[in-house]
Amino acid sequence: MAAKATLQQFILLPTRGLRAQETTASASVNAFFTSINPGAKTPKGRSVKVSGAPKLQMRVLDSIGKNGAKLVELSAESLSDLKAAQPGMRIVPIVYYYPAVVRRPTVRPIPKAFAAAAPATKITIKIVSRTDGKPVAGADVVAFTNFSQRLGAQGKTNKSGRVSLSLGAAVGKLDRLYIYPKVGFYSLLRTNITISSQMELGLRPVDLTFSNFSDALRHFYGNTANEIGQGVKVAVIDTGIATNHSDLSVDGGMNTVLGEDPDDYDDNGHGHGTHVAGIISAHGLPPTGVRGVAPAVKLRSYRVFGEGEEGASNFSIAKAIDQAITDKCDLINMSLGGGPDDAAIRSAIADARAQGCLVIVANGNDYREPVSFPASDSLALAVSAMGRLETFPSDSTAMGDIDVPRGKDPKNFVAAFSNIGPETDLIGPGVDIVSTVPGGYAPMSGTSMACPAVTGIAARLLSTRPNILAMSRDRDRSDEMAKLLLKTAVEQGFGPDFEGQGRLP
Amino acid sequence: MARFILRYQGKGPKPQQSIEQIRSLDHISIIDASSPRMILVDAPEDELKALIDSMPDWIMSQERTYHLPNPRPRIR
């Protein structure tokens, strides 16, 4: 017998303020708010039907006025269906606040005394290409002596492919060894390795013909015709895009990092933005290049990570969203997040929706933690990551990303690193996806890769709907775009917390 | 003093009158006003909050940093 769904309470709000009116909500949301009211106030509220979601069971418990915020009760599993039927609302879980009483002190166990320090074990690892033995420089090497405790050492290979690591005392084995090359090779995962002072490991080069296996992106979406995605403008808010890559065409953009040249929206050296861009619209072809899922979109780069910086400020991000709106982008891809909820970014996302533009955001990669902000904003489309067996080498680090649940096709899985939760809207391929990087090509994994897969297929779908693209740039337009995507998605059998409405076909 | 984002949520670009009001605050330093909807300032939080609370359609948010999601296992 199926378990009874747990009911939760949520507050439905227009995009701004508490009341749905012309300036704060689309016509569809206005009508919806007016139509669902609790009637005579009882604790159990009133059961209501939602057009476009026939299976949805929802009760309206309370309302602020006739067209104001609604307190509703439904199962978290149904949230995805509600959002697909009415994508233009903010949906926030109910939150309770308590008196700030002082906690009583608690006793912590005293740690055991440490043994006398002993000399550390030092090793040197050399990384080479399996095909020609040449050294691989710039590869990140992460060696765990105890993986469950995350103890170990890490470094980067030098010009001769070597890295020296200092491990704990009397270490004889490595629990796990991860090698992450920057360009041209697959990553490597080795387990239970006996240590020697000098070790050499070979990496498999990336094969752009995919003759041994397709990566998951090509498995699901194949090689795309060059004209796919025409008429759609896509913003990539990221580390910048390598404008000199032969497989990419960048139509323009802006660097919104304070103190940097606004016209320098090139990749800041990290490679992340270039990889994301290639998934969406690379226009190369095997054996010398790669093809994205919507090669004909107009691609714009908004760089929010500074030169050599690992972080982007909320100001840069909000400014980039604003600029993408001004530049009439239809879709905004944000493969970033993980910080606290922020009013400025929320406001910018609301502005994007109000001006006919959809923001698509990666869920985050914290191993089944809740969906990160800003993906968790109900006006954004949040994307989780899936993988597929036999789409990467058997010794790639991607082997560590295989997890449950499996899909209707048991070769499909939700990536172990993917954040999940009721805010998830769609799922995309995000394990060992081959794409463009500065200087060549590389596989990468993450909801960062799943997000542009969804953005690119969204662009594909929108390009076949000129009637939606021709709508005035307002909330009705972005609502229609969201409805198209959420209704077109196909369930993969993972469940709504893992996949939302599913994968775009 | 910390840095704060002031964002206009009304229709259109931020009104000039509001900008002048913000500039008139004691000990405020305008860092970036190039965005049509936002100003980045360095100012005392309490005074800034009191001012923004009195200005309809404006919100305030502390400047903070977001990172690229990284699925790689990390050394503790």
Side-chain angles (χ1 to χ4, degrees):
Chain A
M1 188 159 67
K4 202 174 170 185
T6 307
L7 298 176
Q8 290 180 32
Q9 293 182 359
F10 296 89
I11 303 172
L12 309 184
L13 296 152
T15 55
R16 217 182 289 294
L18 288 175
R19 294 182 196 281
Q21 50 205 27
E22 199 186 297
T23 53
T24 63
S26 65
S28 171
V29 170
N30 273 334
F32 179 65
F33 266 56
T34 312
S35 73
I36 58 159
N37 277 298
K41 289 199 166 72
T42 69
K44 287 191 179 176
R46 180 169 79 94
S47 179
V48 295
K49 294 253 178 266
V50 177
S51 172
K55 293 184 197 166
L56 180 63
Q57 291 179 322
M58 183 170 83
R59 301 191 75 80
V60 181
L61 304 176
D62 206 347
S63 177
I64 298 178
K66 196 176 164 196
N67 62 341
K70 313 289 176 198
L71 177 64
V72 300
E73 185 175 81
L74 70 164
S75 70
E77 291 79 12
S78 304
L79 204 60
S80 178
D81 290 339
L82 175 62
K83 209 170 154 190
Q86 284 292 345
M89 301 185 293
R90 285 180 295 153
I91 306 174
V92 298
I94 198 164
V95 174
Y96 294 93
Y97 295 86
Y98 299 93
V101 295
V102 175
R103 288 191 183 183
R104 294 182 183 175
T106 54
V107 174
R108 277 191 295 175
I110 299 168
K112 289 178 189 169
F114 291 105
T121 305
K122 290 191 194 304
I123 59 171
T124 298
I125 302 176
K126 187 178 180 188
I127 307 298
V128 299
S129 165
R130 271 183 211 168
T131 49
D132 58 17
K134 284 186 179 167
V136 177
D140 287 320
V141 177
V142 188
F144 290 96
T145 52
N146 183 324
F147 183 68
S148 61
Q149 303 281 324
R150 297 295 194 267
L151 298 174
Q154 61 190 45
K156 200 185 283 283
T157 57
N158 59 19
K159 275 188 290 194
S160 50
R162 288 187 172 86
V163 61
S164 294
L165 301 175
S166 182
L167 304 170
V171 170
K173 280 195 171 191
L174 289 177
D175 210 356
R176 291 196 191 187
L177 180 64
Y178 291 82
I179 317 288
Y180 297 102
K182 207 162 165 89
V183 57
F185 296 91
Y186 280 94
S187 59
L188 184 67
L189 169 61
R190 287 280 162 86
T191 59
N192 200 24
I193 310 157
T194 302
I195 286 173
S196 60
S197 59
Q198 302 282 332
M199 297 164 67
E200 183 170 300
L201 293 157
L203 299 183
R204 178 202 292 257
V206 170
D207 172 11
L208 297 180
T209 66
F210 298 108
S211 51
N212 290 321
F213 47 80
S214 281
D215 73 355
L217 189 75
R218 278 93 200 166
H219 170 83
F220 289 116
Y221 299 118
N223 263 324
T224 314
N226 238 356
E227 63 273 12
I228 297 294
Q230 245 171 27
V232 181
K233 200 179 279 189
V234 176
V236 170
I237 296 183
D238 212 293
T239 63
I241 300 173
T243 53
N244 64 353
H245 199 293
S246 55
D247 288 7
L248 296 173
S249 297
V250 182
D251 198 49
M254 182 187 256
N255 180 334
T256 61
V257 178
L258 211 57
E260 292 196 355
D261 177 2
D263 291 329
D264 181 9
Y265 44 79
D266 214 306
D267 198 298
N268 71 350
H270 193 287
H272 185 269
T274 302
H275 198 272
V276 162
I279 290 171
I280 296 170
S281 68
H283 48 70
L285 265 181
T288 54
V290 291
R291 177 75 49 100
V293 295
V297 302
K298 285 243 187 294
L299 185 73
R300 294 186 70 82
S301 168
Y302 298 88
R303 183 162 119 196
V304 297
F305 292 87
E307 205 77 43
E309 294 290 331
E310 293 289 321
S313 84
N314 48 349
F315 182 74
S316 297
I317 295 168
K319 189 171 176 181
I321 296 173
D322 283 348
Q323 189 61 45
I325 297 167
T326 302
D327 294 338
K328 303 266 188 286
C329 292
D330 303 299
L331 302 170
I332 296 175
N333 187 96
M334 295 213 298
S335 290
L336 52 78
D341 203 298
D342 176 67
I345 294 179
R346 278 196 186 276
S347 179
I349 292 174
D351 279 352
R353 288 298 293 261
Q355 296 187 61
C357 174
L358 273 187
V359 183
I360 302 173
V361 191
N363 266 19
N365 303 327
D366 305 301
Y367 294 81
R368 299 286 187 270
E369 287 294 306
V371 175
S372 308
F373 180 81
S376 57
D377 185 317
S378 52
L379 292 181
L381 290 186
V383 179
S384 60
M386 64 185 286
R388 183 173 173 86
L389 301 181
E390 297 164 11
T391 63
F392 43 83
S394 59
D395 56 1
S396 159
T397 59
M399 292 301 286
D401 300 332
I402 300 171
D403 204 345
V404 291
R406 298 296 178 92
K408 290 178 191 173
D409 180 338
K411 286 189 177 179
N412 295 337
F413 58 87
V414 178
F417 52 73
S418 185
N419 288 354
I420 59 167
E423 299 88 347
T424 303
D425 292 296
L426 295 162
I427 194 165
V431 178
D432 254 6
I433 305 301
V434 176
S435 183
T436 47
V437 291
Y441 307 89
M444 283 193 191
S445 296
T447 51
S448 285
M449 283 68 246
C451 186
V454 167
T455 302
I457 299 297
R460 251 197 213 185
L461 287 168
L462 283 171
S463 70
T464 66
R465 300 297 179 99
N467 55 324
I468 294 180
L469 291 174
M471 289 173 75
S472 296
R473 288 183 176 269
D474 60 16
R475 272 183 201 89
D476 289 334
R477 182 186 199 257
S478 56
D479 280 2
E480 283 305 306
M481 288 160 67
K483 278 183 192 169
L484 170 68
L485 303 182
L486 295 171
K487 290 295 184 191
T488 306
V490 176
E491 280 181 36
Q492 303 296 292
F494 299 128
D497 270 10
F498 294 92
E499 62 173 316
Q501 293 293 297
R503 181 179 63 81
L504 294 177
Chain B
M1 293 196 293
R3 290 171 25 155
F4 297 93
I5 302 168
L6 309 179
R7 186 172 175 95
Y8 179 61
Q9 299 198 119
K11 215 166 180 173
K14 53 190 190 278
Q16 189 59 37
Q17 189 181 353
S18 301
I19 300 171
E20 296 309 321
Q21 241 183 305
I22 291 163
R23 279 190 200 280
S24 69
L25 193 67
D26 282 340
H27 309 118
I28 194 167
S29 172
I30 307 289
I31 299 166
D32 186 329
S34 62
S35 167
R37 306 269 281 168
M38 293 187 296
I39 309 176
L40 182 65
V41 304
D42 193 324
E45 182 174 3
D46 290 345
E47 291 164 43
L48 189 60
K49 188 173 183 316
L51 174 65
I52 295 302
D53 282 351
S54 72
M55 293 169 68
D57 288 330
W58 281 86
I59 58 160
M60 172 178 152
S61 173
Q62 184 156 8
E63 190 185 30
R64 43 175 66 99
T65 302
Y66 292 82
H67 295 271
L68 295 169
N70 185 352
R72 297 178 180 179
R74 290 181 275 277
I75 303 285
R76 211 167 265 170

